[in-house]
Amino acid sequence: MASNILTIPFRRTHTVSLSEALKQYISNKCDQHPDMFKRDLEAIDQLRTDAVTSLEAHTSGTRKLAAYAAQLVWIGGKFPIDIGVDFTWYPALGFNTQRPESQNNLRFELANVLFNLAALYSQLAVSLNRSTSEGLKAANNYFCQAAGVLTYLKSDIIPDMRSTPPEDMDTVTLDCLEQLMLAQAQECSWSMAIKNGYKDALISRLAAKVSDFYDQATEFGTKSDIISTEWIHHMTAKHHHFAAAAQYRAACDCLDKRKYGEEVARLKDSLVCVNEALKESRWINKVVLGDLNGLKMKVSDDLKRAEKDNDVIYLMPVPPKSELKTLDRAGMAVARKPAEISDPSTSLGDRGAFGQPLFAKLVPYAVHVAASIYEERKHRLVNNVIIDELEGLTNKLRDLLQSLNLPGSLQALEKPLGLPSSLISHAAEIRQQQGLHTLRRSMHDVESVKSNDIATFQEGVELLRLEASEDEKARLKHGTERWRRPPSQQAGEKLYNQIGELDGYLKSADSSDELVKTKVKECESVLKVLEGTDRELEEYVPSSRKAVMQPKVEREASRLRAILNEVSRTESRRKRKIESLREKARSDDINPSLLTETARLEREFPMQKIEAIHFEDLFERRLQRYDDDRIMVSDEREEQEHISGQLQEANAAFIAVRRGDTSTREREQALQRLENAYLSFKEILSNLETGRKFYNDLAALVIRFRDECRDFRYQRRVEAGQIEADLSNAMSKLNIAQTNNLQEQKQKESLRAQYSSKAPVKDPMTAPIPTRAPVAPPPSAGMWTPEMGIKFGGAALEVPQGGTIHNPAYPNPGGNQIRTGQWKPNQGVRFS
């Protein structure tokens, strides 16, 4: 049924089970059992069913849609946005209303529900009886609420989707729909003002604002790829229509105020606007066209009357349009966001119209995010800032000892025969850990995890390569003009960027692996000695003759030994501190504090969406417990600088008093090689453990990368199939049209050939030869011949003597009687 008002159509969807995904999430991610929320899970499915089936213009539908939308807003703070359900919806506007779009996105679901709520408000407005003031007032309210829902959808929901919005929910399309709803709300106010007999000046201001709204709607509509040309023509006609109506009412006001010249000018401008609107007559419906024709008739009649009165009676100058004052505006339409949607606290709770919020006792998803954020910060502080710094100080100290050939030089002097006790303990430790076998096994494990990561990464890269190849083939097949979707690298920009990042990680890790292999090769031969028997160690370490140390040498050796013992105590103390710090970090559970803080926030700020940022103060207070450890690192750094100075000084003095003594040189070197091999063994073990952890962490990244590549290729394949189907349909229609055109063209050419062909050339006719006609014998009496013709007999007329019937002055040779051409039935048929 034709109408002068437009309504937003509904979006359609399929049935999905939201409760199953929520139940799965609670079971896997939360410490609470899903059975605690059995009723809530059943309720959310029922709410969705009620909402998606409310596709009729009935007031009960607004409650169902609003209730489901309010609960979606509420549970958005409890669950992640990608909960694990593919919500499928069909567009309401545009050319692809039969092509569904699916997203694993709670915000996508909420956006579609809100769009349908706006559509329902617009359809409720049209369903009212707008011939009464009450109906017009209610229609204005519905249109304003529809505009408010669209505003909320555009400003709050779409930006929070974290994905590309549907094609009929882009910014310009939503702007167009919002302005259209406001225009129609303002139009209801204008109609109500006319019905209630308001003054012409006010009606003029109302109509001018209606025209502005329609103008803005048209401007946004022309920028949108979704708004149909039919709607654009409708809005354009309405824009000019109400511009004309505004000028007409302003002219009526001028008549009341005796401004007769301005009245004529405004009526002329009104007629111009009406004619502009009528340029759209081919594309607008009969109702709008009838309104325009009625307005044009009224304006034309009034303009004739006004011009005549002014020319004959008032004689006032008619100002040009440029001198006319711009009409004032009176806005009666404002986008009103429904509070039950934008602020669920007004509709959920003990006194709320939609009952209790669902999953109220579930720990919000933001709390889990906050816990992971705190764990990450704690890990970074404890491991990167404190432990790594302590281990770095120890490594510097060991490098210094190695550069000074300590403790080998001192051990060789103190014990020229046998093996030092420290060396025996180091060898026992390596034997217990199975030395080279442990290193090779760890290297094999790291290499295995690394190979899996590389294979998974290459699989993802290959999927992208195959997708790009398929897209390029389709582009070459159909041409860039018809194959207009973005290229692979543009559509999957995020994935292609990840290729560079992951490849960089793998190359960096590979260089570290090669460095570890080099270290293993360098110390492999010495490690074989360390993991051997004590007899093999004694054979490796040459004995030196026992010499009597001079007092000066003994004094410097004792001093150096004391400093080395202090270095050993420093290393042992740092190991204990590191283990204590790790245990402290493991026992640091922030979850109870987060739950307490969450309860406080929900109590003091009900219905406020809990975000991870709300726990920043708690994080700062919680991390302050590690301030003493950070201070300890600074103290260790200062103490090491002091010990390093003492060690270098004592070693220099020790070397000085032993200058020229080479009796223990070979033993010193052997002992130092064994000490260095032991330290390298410990370092390589630590490096391999770090590498194993790195590749295990990288495995999660490359698996996710491969899965995203697989999903990307699948989505692009589906999209390509739909595009090819559309192109095939378009080509079929084009072929049919071309066939029909070809047949018509052939028919036309055939007819053209038929009518435009020249007449056949005939031989010229010869001139007839004159001949004398034979004289036929006189017919016998009473016989009729064709040359006689048919004559009807009749009564003879009396003619004057010597005259004829036509001219009595001329004689009649046949006698005084002639027959007339009138036939009488009683006389029969006679042949003359």
Side-chain angles (χ1 to χ4, degrees):
M1 178 178 171
S3 173
N4 61 349
I5 297 294
L6 297 178
T7 61
I8 304 174
F10 288 112
R11 295 174 67 88
R12 297 176 293 108
T13 184
H14 295 310
T15 302
V16 297
S17 178
L18 178 56
S19 62
E20 286 298 324
L22 298 179
K23 183 178 180 180
Q24 189 71 21
Y25 173 81
I26 295 172
S27 177
N28 295 337
K29 300 294 185 180
C30 302
D31 297 332
Q32 298 159 284
H33 198 277
D35 290 344
M36 295 174 56
F37 309 98
K38 184 177 180 180
R39 293 184 178 178
D40 293 343
L41 292 170
E42 294 174 354
I44 194 67
D45 276 347
Q46 187 60 47
L47 282 172
R48 187 180 195 276
T49 300
D50 294 341
V52 301
T53 55
S54 299
L55 302 181
E56 295 181 358
H58 194 276
T59 54
S60 62
T62 60
R63 177 182 175 85
K64 295 175 182 178
L65 287 166
Y68 182 50
Q71 292 289 359
L72 285 177
V73 173
W74 163 255
I75 67 175
K78 298 282 187 177
F79 296 95
I81 191 172
D82 50 344
I83 191 60
V85 179
D86 287 329
F87 299 103
T88 301
W89 287 85
Y90 290 83
L93 301 170
F95 304 100
N96 299 316
T97 56
Q98 300 302 318
R99 181 187 298 175
E101 180 176 357
S102 299
Q103 288 191 26
N104 175 20
N105 193 322
L106 277 175
R107 291 294 179 182
F108 175 73
E109 171 82 347
L110 177 58
N112 284 278
V113 173
L114 291 177
F115 188 94
N116 273 2
L117 181 59
L120 180 57
Y121 279 133
S122 71
Q123 296 187 25
L124 285 173
V126 174
S127 66
L128 294 173
N129 180 13
R130 298 192 307 279
S131 61
T132 63
S133 297
E134 292 77 11
L136 289 169
K137 184 176 180 181
N140 172 277
N141 181 57
Y142 280 137
F143 280 129
C144 289
Q145 286 183 302
V149 173
L150 293 170
T151 302
Y152 177 67
L153 175 62
K154 178 185 63 176
S155 61
D156 292 16
I157 304 303
I158 297 297
D160 196 33
M161 280 182 58
R162 306 175 196 172
S163 63
T164 304
E167 61 180 10
D168 56 349
M169 290 191 199
D170 61 332
T171 302
V172 290
T173 302
L174 292 179
D175 282 333
C176 174
L177 295 178
E178 177 190 351
Q179 295 300 317
L180 175 62
M181 295 298 104
L182 291 175
Q184 296 181 158
Q186 181 78 11
E187 185 175 349
C188 291
S189 299
W190 170 81
S191 299
M192 187 166 57
I194 295 176
K195 185 170 293 295
N196 294 336
Y198 291 171
K199 292 184 178 180
D200 291 322
L202 175 59
I203 296 175
S204 174
R205 293 197 295 269
L206 291 171
K209 190 62 178 177
V210 177
S211 178
D212 291 345
F213 279 133
Y214 275 117
D215 184 38
Q216 293 172 5
T218 305
E219 181 179 355
F220 287 121
T222 54
K223 296 178 182 178
S224 171
D225 296 331
I226 302 302
I227 301 300
S228 65
T229 55
E230 180 183 356
W231 278 30
I232 294 175
H233 288 305
H234 173 91
M235 294 183 294
T236 303
K238 298 282 273 190
H239 159 59
H240 293 300
H241 178 189
F242 280 94
Q247 290 289 11
Y248 174 73
R249 288 290 176 170
C252 294
D253 183 60
C254 291
L255 178 61
D256 294 339
K257 296 177 179 179
R258 300 181 180 181
K259 299 178 179 179
Y260 305 110
E262 184 178 346
E263 177 196 8
V264 174
R266 293 198 179 276
L267 286 172
K268 287 182 177 180
D269 189 53
S270 177
L271 189 59
V272 171
C273 293
V274 171
N275 290 328
E276 284 294 322
L278 286 173
K279 291 180 181 179
E280 311 290 333
S281 60
R282 293 175 55 190
W283 301 281
I284 58 179
N285 62 51
K286 296 180 180 179
V287 178
V288 178
L289 183 59
D291 293 342
L292 286 172
N293 288 327
L295 178 60
K296 181 178 181 179
M297 184 180 300
K298 182 65 175 174
V299 172
S300 300
D301 292 342
D302 284 9
L303 178 60
K304 292 178 182 178
R305 186 265 313 156
E307 285 181 330
K308 181 178 180 181
D309 291 348
N310 191 56
D311 292 342
V312 175
I313 303 173
Y314 307 115
L315 303 178
M316 288 188 177
V318 178
K321 181 179 178 179
S322 58
E323 295 181 5
L324 291 176
K325 179 184 176 182
T326 303
L327 296 177
D328 295 331
R329 267 64 173 168
M332 298 297 292
V334 179
R336 290 194 291 272
K337 298 180 183 180
E340 61 270 18
I341 302 300
S342 58
D343 184 11
S345 62
T346 60
S347 56
L348 298 177
D350 294 333
R351 299 181 180 179
F354 301 149
Q356 293 293 335
L358 301 180
F359 306 99
K361 295 182 180 180
L362 182 69
V363 176
Y365 172 70
V367 175
H368 298 285
V369 175
S372 63
I373 291 174
Y374 177 75
E375 288 296 325
E376 182 183 355
R377 293 184 184 179
K378 181 182 67 175
H379 180 273
R380 188 165 57 246
L381 173 62
V382 171
N383 291 280
N384 298 352
V385 178
I386 301 176
I387 293 179
D388 285 357
E389 184 69 20
L390 287 175
E391 291 180 344
L393 291 174
T394 302
N395 291 332
K396 287 182 180 179
L397 198 55
R398 289 174 178 172
D399 292 341
L400 178 61
L401 290 174
Q402 187 174 354
S403 66
L404 298 177
N405 202 25
L406 292 174
S409 60
L410 187 58
Q411 289 175 345
L413 180 64
E414 291 177 338
K415 193 170 184 177
L417 301 175
L419 300 174
S421 58
S422 61
L423 178 59
I424 294 174
S425 64
H426 290 166
E429 182 180 350
I430 289 180
R431 292 191 198 108
Q432 185 180 4
Q433 297 184 7
Q434 298 181 344
L436 284 172
H437 177 71
T438 300
L439 290 182
R440 292 191 180 102
R441 187 179 65 246
S442 298
M443 291 174 65
H444 179 269
D445 293 342
V446 170
E447 193 66 27
S448 177
V449 180
K450 174 184 176 181
S451 299
N452 292 335
D453 289 353
I454 293 176
T456 305
F457 172 67
Q458 292 297 336
E459 183 180 353
V461 174
E462 180 64 15
L463 288 170
L464 289 180
R465 188 193 67 78
L466 291 174
E467 190 282 323
S469 176
E470 293 170 356
D471 181 69
E472 187 61 26
K473 289 180 180 178
R475 199 176 303 279
L476 293 174
K477 176 181 177 182
H478 299 284
T480 56
E481 290 297 326
R482 287 182 293 175
W483 198 260
R484 295 184 178 180
R485 71 170 183 171
S488 299
Q489 291 193 358
Q490 182 179 347
E493 182 179 2
K494 180 181 176 182
L495 293 175
Y496 280 90
N497 291 338
Q498 288 184 20
I499 292 178
E501 295 176 4
L502 294 175
D503 188 58
Y505 294 154
L506 289 171
K507 288 181 178 178
S508 176
D510 186 66
S511 62
S512 299
D513 294 343
E514 292 298 324
L515 182 61
V516 170
K517 292 178 182 178
T518 302
K519 290 182 180 179
V520 172
K521 289 181 180 179
E522 290 176 352
C523 66
E524 183 176 4
S525 59
V526 183
L527 281 177
K528 288 181 180 179
V529 175
L530 276 174
E531 67 180 4
T533 63
D534 289 345
R535 184 178 181 82
E536 293 173 342
L537 272 176
E538 290 175 353
E539 292 177 355
Y540 182 80
V541 179
S543 298
S544 60
R545 62 182 178 82
K546 187 173 183 178
V548 179
M549 286 189 295
Q550 297 180 0
K552 185 183 295 185
V553 174
E554 185 175 1
R555 184 176 62 252
E556 295 299 334
S558 298
R559 179 188 173 195
L560 184 58
R561 169 56 63 188
I563 296 176
L564 287 175
N565 290 339
E566 182 64 26
V567 169
S568 298
R569 287 192 295 272
T570 299
E571 289 184 3
S572 299
R573 184 179 68 248
R574 288 176 181 173
K575 286 182 180 179
R576 292 193 300 271
K577 287 184 176 180
I578 288 174
E579 290 300 323
S580 175
L581 184 58
R582 284 175 174 164
E583 181 61 30
K584 179 181 177 181
R586 281 193 295 268
S587 60
D588 182 12
D589 185 10
I590 197 176
N591 287 319
S593 300
L594 285 174
L595 294 177
T596 303
E597 182 67 11
T598 300
R600 183 188 68 82
L601 291 172
E602 290 181 343
R603 183 175 58 255
E604 296 181 2
F605 307 99
M607 302 304 171
Q608 174 180 286
K609 182 180 179 181
I610 303 297
E611 299 285 357
I613 195 173
H614 295 152
F615 303 99
E616 286 294 332
D617 293 340
L618 176 62
F619 294 162
E620 292 182 4
R621 294 194 304 269
R622 192 81 177 187
L623 292 174
Q624 286 176 0
R625 60 177 59 191
Y626 298 98
D627 288 349
D628 294 340
D629 300 296
R630 301 178 71 173
I631 295 173
M632 178 266 294
V633 172
S634 300
D635 295 340
E636 288 287 341
R637 187 182 299 107
E638 293 178 0
E639 183 179 353
Q640 178 159 318
E641 291 177 358
H642 178 67
I643 292 177
S644 298
Q646 288 182 335
L647 183 62
Q648 290 173 336
E649 182 182 350
N651 185 68
F654 176 71
I655 293 174
V657 297
R658 292 194 64 213
R659 184 171 290 114
D661 184 6
T662 59
S663 59
T664 61
R665 179 67 55 84
E666 293 182 1
R667 183 176 176 84
E668 290 176 11
Q669 293 175 352
L671 291 173
Q672 191 61 40
R673 285 196 297 272
L674 292 171
E675 180 68 19
N676 292 342
Y678 168 76
L679 295 176
S680 297
F681 174 77
K682 303 294 286 184
E683 181 183 359
I684 291 170
L685 274 183
S686 176
N687 291 339
L688 289 174
E689 179 63 21
T690 302
R692 184 188 62 80
K693 186 177 183 301
F694 168 79
Y695 284 118
N696 282 332
D697 294 340
L698 185 64
L701 297 178
V702 294
I703 288 174
R704 186 174 63 185
F705 168 73
R706 180 200 60 190
D707 293 343
E708 289 179 352
C709 291
R710 185 177 295 154
D711 294 342
F712 174 73
R713 187 190 181 196
Y714 173 76
Q715 293 175 358
R716 293 274 288 180
R717 273 186 162 185
V718 173
E719 182 184 10
Q722 293 173 343
I723 294 175
E724 288 186 341
D726 293 344
L727 291 176
S728 178
N729 293 335
M731 290 299 296
S732 298
K733 295 178 180 178
L734 181 61
N735 290 336
I736 293 174
Q738 289 178 346
T739 302
N740 294 336
N741 292 337
L742 183 60
Q743 292 177 351
E744 292 178 1
Q745 184 177 359
K746 289 182 177 179
Q747 292 177 357
K748 291 179 180 179
E749 290 178 354
S750 175
L751 292 173
R752 189 180 303 112
Q754 178 179 353
Y755 287 105
S756 62
S757 61
K758 295 182 179 180
V761 179
K762 298 181 180 179
D763 294 336
M765 296 179 63
T766 58
I769 299 175
T771 58
R772 184 178 301 274
V775 179
S780 59
M783 178 181 294
W784 177 80
T785 61
E787 290 80 7
M788 298 170 55
I790 299 176
K791 295 181 180 180
F792 296 99
L797 296 178
E798 293 295 332
V799 182
Q801 182 69 30
T804 66
I805 189 173
H806 298 290
N807 189 353
Y810 290 95
N812 183 8
N816 295 334
Q817 290 185 350
I818 64 172
R819 302 183 183 272
T820 65
Q822 184 175 3
W823 175 75
K824 294 181 180 181
N826 57 359
Q827 294 181 354
V829 177
R830 297 180 184 178
F831 296 99
S832 58

